[in-house]
Amino acid sequence: MINTFHSSYNPPPVPPRTGYSKPQPVGNSPLVKFLSVMLLLLMILTIGGFLYLFQKLNMQLQGSYHEDMTSLQRLQDCADSSMGEDSMTECGQLMEKYKAAIAKVSQANEKLSKLTGGPHVIGPAAHMTALSEHKDKNSDFLKTNSLLWDEEQSLLQDVRFSNKRDKLTIQYPGIYFIYSQVTFSKPSTSFGLKQSIRSIDPKTQDVKELLKSFCSLDPDASSDLCTASLSGVFRLEKDQQLYVTVANTSLVNRNSCSFGLFKLQ
């Protein structure tokens, strides 16, 4: 027999089973709340750390910029001839620091160029020209046997130039080609017209004659010149000093004197 009875009411709910508990929504789990708090704290610490590092780096850059500007201002003041002896000593120290910094930058540039295979600046080199008479107001050229050189009219790269304007100091050890040319305009009756390149050992301070050359002039000639030239290849150490000497600088024609070197390897 078929039941054809219909009702508009919903059937009664199924009674819960024994031991069954309704699951809690996932969003209300204590673990989720704990992880949310930890994530928020981590974000706050990260942002705070970035702000702290940015502020610290900015302060360091400002301090370094102020120090660099002060040093540059001091170097600019060094051009004032009215400064005292103590100030000039400080200027010399600043110049040495400046030259050392330039040397480090040049060395880093050369290493970077070798790694990248790009063009690099030529290595240590120098070409010096003699100090002219109109720049030598105190006649310092005639007071010593070492030739003095004009830094403004010379080429210097990765080689230090002494404050006395007579010596070149090696900064990077290696094999160097050294040359010198000295022109004499007056004959000598007591000694020959000789020029030589001498070296000062950085450890023992011993002086050694590396190269020498001679030329001669006719004492009866009123206007004559002779030039003594020399060149050679030597292994030079760091802080080794080189300079050119003659017996009498008053016999030298300053317009035709040169001294230089460059690093071969």
Side-chain angles (χ1 to χ4, degrees):
M1 182 176 182
I2 300 175
N3 184 12
T4 60
F5 177 78
H6 295 280
S7 174
S8 61
Y9 296 99
N10 294 327
V14 179
R17 291 174 294 182
T18 305
Y20 173 79
S21 60
K22 187 176 180 180
Q24 297 292 331
V26 179
N28 297 330
S29 173
L31 179 60
V32 174
K33 293 181 179 180
F34 175 77
L35 293 177
S36 300
V37 172
M38 293 300 296
L39 181 61
L40 180 61
L41 291 176
L42 181 61
M43 292 177 62
I44 294 175
L45 291 175
T46 302
I47 296 174
F50 276 115
L51 292 176
Y52 171 77
L53 292 177
F54 176 79
Q55 184 68 19
K56 185 176 181 180
L57 180 61
N58 189 32
M59 293 178 62
Q60 290 179 351
L61 290 176
Q62 289 181 353
S64 177
Y65 175 77
H66 178 71
E67 183 179 355
D68 292 342
M69 290 301 297
T70 303
S71 299
L72 290 175
Q73 184 63 39
R74 289 294 300 158
L75 286 174
Q76 190 173 8
D77 294 340
C78 290
D80 187 2
S81 59
S82 62
M83 299 180 66
E85 184 178 353
D86 295 339
S87 298
M88 293 305 297
T89 302
E90 183 182 355
C91 289
Q93 295 175 354
L94 287 174
M95 285 301 298
E96 291 298 327
K97 291 182 180 179
Y98 174 77
K99 291 178 181 178
I102 292 297
K104 290 181 180 179
V105 171
S106 179
Q107 186 179 19
N109 180 35
E110 185 176 356
K111 290 182 179 179
L112 180 61
S113 300
K114 290 181 179 179
L115 291 175
T116 57
H120 61 276
V121 182
I122 190 173
H127 179 78
M128 315 301 296
T129 57
L131 185 66
S132 61
E133 294 183 10
H134 74 275
K135 289 188 177 182
D136 189 16
K137 298 180 181 180
N138 298 325
S139 299
D140 294 332
F141 193 91
L142 304 177
K143 298 177 182 179
T144 175
N145 292 336
S146 301
L147 298 188
L148 303 184
W149 310 101
D150 187 354
E151 184 175 5
E152 295 180 355
Q153 301 298 324
S154 302
L155 166 68
L156 279 170
Q157 179 163 300
D158 296 341
V159 180
R160 290 203 306 268
F161 188 49
S162 66
N163 294 330
K164 294 183 178 180
R165 299 178 292 181
D166 61 341
K167 297 181 180 66
L168 297 178
T169 302
I170 301 300
Q171 293 184 272
Y172 301 101
I175 299 177
Y176 284 78
F177 178 83
I178 309 171
Y179 63 91
S180 174
Q181 173 181 296
V182 177
T183 298
F184 297 92
S185 58
K186 299 177 183 179
S188 174
T189 56
S190 57
F191 45 81
L193 299 177
K194 170 190 173 184
Q195 70 131 333
S196 64
I197 295 180
R198 298 186 180 183
S199 168
I200 300 178
D201 187 273
K203 299 179 181 179
T204 63
Q205 298 300 310
D206 292 338
V207 178
K208 180 181 179 181
E209 187 177 67
L210 298 181
L211 294 166
K212 60 182 178 181
S213 62
F214 302 85
C215 73
S216 60
L217 281 175
D218 185 1
D220 298 330
S222 58
S223 60
D224 197 6
L225 298 174
C226 75
T227 300
S229 302
L230 51 80
S231 62
V233 177
F234 295 89
R235 181 179 296 277
L236 303 178
E237 302 297 332
K238 180 177 171 41
D239 295 329
Q240 190 169 351
Q241 295 180 320
L242 302 172
Y243 61 101
V244 179
T245 64
V246 296
N248 189 346
T249 53
S250 65
L251 306 178
V252 174
N253 183 355
R254 306 189 193 189
N255 297 326
S256 302
C257 295
S258 61
F259 169 45
L261 54 84
F262 57 89
K263 190 173 184 291
L264 297 177
Q265 65 179 24

